[in-house]
Amino acid sequence: MDTNRILRELPSVDELLTRLGPQIAIYPRSLVVDEIRRALTSARQNLRTSGLEQAVLDGLAELAKPSLRRVINATGVVLHTNLGRAPLPPFQPISGYSNLEYDLATGKRGKRDVHLTALLQRLLGCSAIVVNNNASAVYLALHELAAGQEVVVSRGELIEIGDGFRIPDIMERSGAILREVGTTNKTNLNDYRNAINERTRLILRVHPSNFHVEGFTHKPALADLAALSRENSIPLYEDLGSGCIADLKPFGLQEPLVSESLHAGVDLVSFSTDKLLGGPQSGILAGSGELISRLRRNPMYRAFRPDKLICQALETSLRSLLFERWNEIPSLQMLSLTSADIRLRAEQLQRRITRSQTEVIDGESVTGGGATPTQSLPTVLIAINTEDASALEQKLRAADPPVIARIGNKQVLIDL
């Protein structure tokens, strides 16, 4: 291969601009030039001279196409972390201006969380603030209540959640000092009691929402831990993670309710809103009015505030929860479906799939999103028989909208 000859044959930027002609008229010239240079750089690296015009047009078209797209979740994982966790309820974003931080009654500056705190007060019966996710909530609580001092936590609760987020790491960054007690599988009330000293500022309880330990295990009841915290005038803070506000026991899911922790005497709880609450990504801190006021005054609270779109989406979800309109929250509506409900849908869809051999079979789904890790949901699957399951799964992902399915037993499985 004559490398030098190939490189000499590459056109200049101006030459490619001329070749492309009116096809690029809809794009800014600077953007087109930048894309031409990218195409030429790639051509030099790969030693090719053909297809340059099409490469430029394809690159521009890709930039013009939204990257964040609606997809169809056919995996059966209701709170699919990679697909945005809880699907959002329908809401129409307010265009133009809004009263985000404006008090319409007084005509003066207001606070953005006023749109959410009244609903949270009714739902939880206590003060609350909203931040941009539960990791922020954990950091803010530790930074404000225990920076430079000790936080007592069970070794069995030093968990890692998705993407390498670890409780010990966030504690270190917050300035709090970790005081581990107990063992991986057993922690007693006396373990907490013996660890408390003049530097202790917080007792932390972490709900292991993404795993479950069985067998020779023990941890003190929340009420007993709350009594110990009151005895020593040290706040008890629980990171609940999954944020279950609606009781899911009728649907066969056992997950601790936020209200149960508060009623047991926990001073402060935090949880995500894009898991079992069924809303957008944000985090809630709720509990003692005194502690919430301290958190609100912390300078980091401003850095962690949610924006207006999150406020509006979360307000929509919270109002549906308050009025117990479960069907308005897509994740709760899906979790409440019975096998019979799903079978009917599967059989109806199966009749529309005419180009492949299919069968309707029983299966299991999961809640996902780090919630109810050991509990499955009975479901009904459309199993598509094909010579190459991977190729069909890839073809479904390339559809418009993309269909995200799963593969099992060399079949493509559609879980409704």
Side-chain angles (χ1 to χ4, degrees), residues 24-226:
I24 56 173
I26 61 173
Y27 302 112
R29 179 184 172 85
S30 60
L31 180 63
V32 176
V33 169
D34 184 57
E35 201 59 36
I36 288 174
R37 286 174 176 155
R38 286 175 182 271
L40 289 172
T41 298
S42 176
R44 291 188 191 97
Q45 292 171 346
N46 295 289
L47 298 176
R48 61 176 177 80
T49 58
S50 62
L52 287 171
E53 292 94 330
Q54 191 59 49
V56 172
L57 293 173
D58 290 345
L60 291 168
E62 188 66 24
L63 287 171
K65 184 173 64 176
S67 177
L68 188 62
R69 302 166 60 192
R70 172 181 175 267
V71 304
I72 295 174
N73 178 9
T75 66
V77 182
V78 177
L79 305 176
H80 200 303
T81 299
N82 304 128
L83 303 181
R85 286 189 178 163
L88 287 176
F91 79 101
Q92 183 63 45
I94 298 171
S95 59
Y97 298 107
S98 69
N99 61 326
L100 180 66
E101 293 186 0
Y102 184 81
D103 189 326
L104 293 172
T106 65
K108 297 180 180 179
R109 178 169 183 166
K111 296 183 181 298
R112 71 176 61 191
D113 58 358
V114 71
H115 309 292
L116 304 169
T117 51
L119 295 170
L120 289 168
Q121 173 71 40
R122 294 297 187 93
L123 282 164
L124 303 174
C126 63
S127 300
I129 55 173
V130 180
V131 290
N132 53 24
N133 60 21
N134 191 48
S136 300
V138 174
Y139 179 93
L140 181 63
L142 294 172
H143 183 266
E144 172 59 34
L145 304 178
Q149 303 296 324
E150 292 186 0
V151 177
V152 180
V153 60
S154 168
R155 285 186 174 89
E157 297 172 2
L158 296 174
I159 66 171
E160 176 179 328
I161 59 174
D163 202 26
F165 173 81
R166 293 179 170 182
I167 289 293
D169 294 342
I170 201 74
M171 291 182 72
E172 180 181 358
R173 292 302 180 95
S174 73
I177 300 169
L178 171 64
R179 182 68 182 271
E180 301 177 38
V181 298
T183 64
T184 302
N185 59 320
K186 294 193 73 173
T187 304
N188 299 309
L189 191 64
N190 279 336
D191 293 322
Y192 289 94
R193 179 178 283 113
N194 294 335
I196 293 173
N197 59 59
E198 67 279 358
R199 298 193 64 191
T200 306
R201 292 295 180 272
L202 201 64
I203 297 175
L204 173 62
R205 178 77 164 258
V206 182
H207 173 53
S209 56
N210 60 353
F211 72 97
H212 186 67
V213 179
E214 293 183 336
F216 190 58
T217 64
H218 177 78
K219 63 180 180 181
L222 264 180
D224 294 335
L225 205 53

Side-chain angles (χ1 to χ4, degrees), residues 279-343:
Q281 177 188 294
S282 58
I284 291 175
L285 286 147
S288 157
E290 178 186 353
L291 296 181
I292 294 298
S293 294
R294 286 183 59 182
L295 297 174
R296 191 190 297 275
R297 290 193 298 270
N298 187 294
M300 293 303 297
Y301 172 58
R302 183 175 182 86
F304 293 151
R305 292 183 309 172
D307 80 330
K308 56 190 175 184
L309 288 175
I310 296 296
C311 287
Q312 187 184 355
L314 183 56
E315 182 184 1
T316 301
S317 298
L318 292 175
R319 185 165 285 108
S320 296
L321 284 170
L322 181 63
F323 288 97
E324 299 184 0
R325 298 194 290 251
W326 313 126
N327 284 340
E328 294 181 1
I329 301 176
S331 56
L332 296 186
Q333 190 268 338
M334 284 187 272
L335 290 171
S336 69
L337 289 174
T338 66
S339 293
D341 296 329
I342 304 171
R343 181 175 296 279

